[in-house]
Amino acid sequence: LRWFHQASGRSAGRDLLTLMTYDPGVKPKVPSDLPPARVFPAVGLASMHTALGEKDKDIALLFRSSPFGSVSHGHADQNAFTVDAFGRGLALATGFYPWYSSPHHHQWTRDTRAVCSVLVDGKGQVVRSWKARGRIVAFKNTKGYDYVAGEAAEAYGGRLKRFRRQIVHVRGGVFVIYDDLVASKPSTFQWLLHAHDQIGVEGRVLRVRRDPAAMDVHMLLPQQSTVSQHDKYTPEPESHKHKRRNYEKTWHLSVSTKRPELSERFLNVLVVRRKGDEHPVSKVNLVRTKSELGVHMVRHDGKFDTVLFRTGQGGDNPVRVLLGALREK
């Protein structure tokens, strides 16, 4: 805490954190010896890092699926994630706080449309409800990779029977995200991604840039979808009569299924790197078996990484990860 206090540039006495660490006898310690990934199930948060405590080197993913729902300061953001790299935001939670429950704050910032989650028929999760819950159902921090799974169907007010999002971090900044969705009636689904700048769309690859960070999103499933994006807020953030503010625009991308279905699967691979560095992955291929679905990735050094998700119900091992010669279940 003392290290975080100093690293964030806070001055003493302005919030609870700095009061807790005001004692000059408490010496700062870089958290480099902590696990690179950690889960906090009581509040529904999981974080994954490549270089915890070293902002200029770190790639991080934060995931939320919370039992506290969307009440109070909570938003309708179950199973949402953010990605940061080298001190820059790549996948964002968007929106502003002009004042408490302003039209923009209530209708955009709190809404699922503002975060990297999923819409059903263009609609998000229930806003400001204890029952709009998520939960983290699995987590693993092991040699070579991290794994988290969240279930958020309850947050959609009966429109979903299942929303299982599983994320595997292949160490070094490659995130495989698998979404398994089952609706109460045939529906379309929208997979959301938000960024500071316009997102490049090159075939089945989305390109996010925020110097010095870069992220390529390889869209493997569904194989038939439409991609759209815009830089508008609905409604736009308000300027307080006493404080004129210049709000930054952000870009909001949606990958939408083309026709209503009872179930759908999204499979995306996020490859994060420093701009100008060699791409860590040269090939990304979809893999299907009778009981598993996943991705086979080839690195430039010839080594491969394979991540497979169990598609049937049940089983003690919902994910199988093979990292080159290292095989772990």
Side-chain angles (χ1 to χ4, degrees):
L1 285 174
R2 179 69 169 176
W3 170 86
F4 182 76
H5 164 214
Q6 291 188 351
S8 59
R10 301 182 184 218
S11 56
R14 302 186 71 172
D15 56 39
L16 181 60
L17 172 64
T18 54
L19 286 172
M20 290 168 61
T21 58
Y22 183 68
D23 182 355
V26 177
K27 302 301 181 184
K29 185 176 187 298
V30 178
S32 55
D33 60 337
L34 294 180
R38 193 76 176 263
V39 65
F40 303 89
V43 292
L45 289 172
S47 68
M48 303 173 180
H49 292 261
T50 62
L52 183 64
E54 299 181 72
K55 183 183 71 173
D56 294 334
K57 297 180 181 180
D58 193 30
I59 297 170
L61 181 143
L62 181 66
F63 175 77
R64 182 177 189 260
S65 199
S66 172
F68 288 102
S70 57
V71 297
S72 187
H73 292 277
H75 296 172
D77 59 356
Q78 308 296 359
N79 275 9
F81 66 90
T82 62
V83 176
D84 299 272
F86 323 123
R88 300 292 186 267
L90 294 172
L92 312 176
T94 65
F96 300 94
Y97 182 71
W99 63 83
Y100 185 78
S101 278
S102 78
H104 171 78
H105 178 231
H106 181 65
Q107 297 175 41
W108 180 273
T109 308
R110 286 174 174 159
D111 197 85
T112 314
R113 293 179 300 159
V115 299
C116 299
S117 189
V118 168
L119 304 180
V120 181
D121 287 331
K123 299 178 181 179
Q125 301 162 15
V126 180
V127 177
R128 298 186 66 74
S129 170
W130 281 107
K131 295 182 179 180
R133 292 181 288 254
R135 68 184 190 280
I136 293 177
V137 297
F139 176 82
K140 189 172 185 180
N141 166 224
T142 188
K143 183 179 180 181
Y145 74 94
D146 311 305
Y147 170 72
V148 67
E151 175 56 54
E154 189 179 4
Y156 288 80
R159 285 179 287 124
L160 283 184
K161 295 181 178 180
R162 181 180 178 88
F163 176 17
R164 181 65 52 88
R165 170 163 278 180
Q166 299 179 70
I167 302 176
V168 172
H169 173 210
V170 179
R171 291 280 172 75
V174 177
F175 302 95
V176 183
I177 302 181
Y178 173 54
D179 298 322
D180 184 8
L181 295 136
V182 179
S184 301
K185 65 179 182 64
S187 306
T188 60
F189 304 91
Q190 293 78 40
W191 190 91
L192 304 182
L193 179 68
H194 302 267
H196 283 290
D197 303 308
Q198 186 170 8
I199 299 168
V201 182
E202 301 178 16
R204 301 290 297 172
V205 180
L206 308 175
R207 303 196 187 278
V208 180
R209 300 292 182 264
R210 191 70 171 176
D211 291 347
M215 180 174 72
D216 294 338
V217 180
H218 298 263
M219 301 181 291
L220 301 181
L221 291 177
Q223 293 178 320
Q224 298 294 322
S225 61
T226 58
V227 177
S228 61
Q229 65 178 311
H230 62 87
D231 65 347
K232 307 298 182 185
Y233 300 110
T234 310
E236 292 289 326
E238 304 85 5
S239 292
H240 194 283
K241 62 182 180 180
H242 299 300
K243 294 180 181 179
R244 295 296 176 184
R245 299 175 179 174
N246 294 319
Y247 291 105
E248 180 187 9
K249 288 289 186 181
T250 48
W251 285 82
H252 319 289
L253 183 141
S254 173
V255 180
S256 180
T257 57
K258 290 190 172 183
R259 58 179 179 270
E261 300 284 358
L262 275 175
S263 63
E264 191 57 84
R265 291 166 175 165
F266 288 87
L267 180 61
N268 296 282
V269 179
L270 284 57
V271 181
V272 184
R273 60 186 174 85
R274 187 178 294 274
K275 184 181 177 181
D277 287 356
E278 186 176 49
H279 287 257
V281 177
S282 60
K283 293 182 181 179
V284 178
N285 296 316
L286 178 67
V287 177
R288 292 179 188 265
T289 71
K290 290 183 179 180
S291 60
E292 293 174 311
L293 177 69
V295 58
H296 180 80
M297 298 172 288
V298 180
R299 296 180 178 269
H300 283 282
D301 59 7
K303 295 181 180 179
F304 68 88
D305 300 317
T306 302
V307 177
L308 298 170
F309 301 95
R310 187 182 299 275
T311 54
Q313 300 296 319
D316 294 329
N317 297 312
V319 63
R320 191 157 57 104
V321 180
L322 298 88
L323 304 176
L326 177 65
R327 294 170 178 262
E328 293 189 79
K329 291 185 179 180

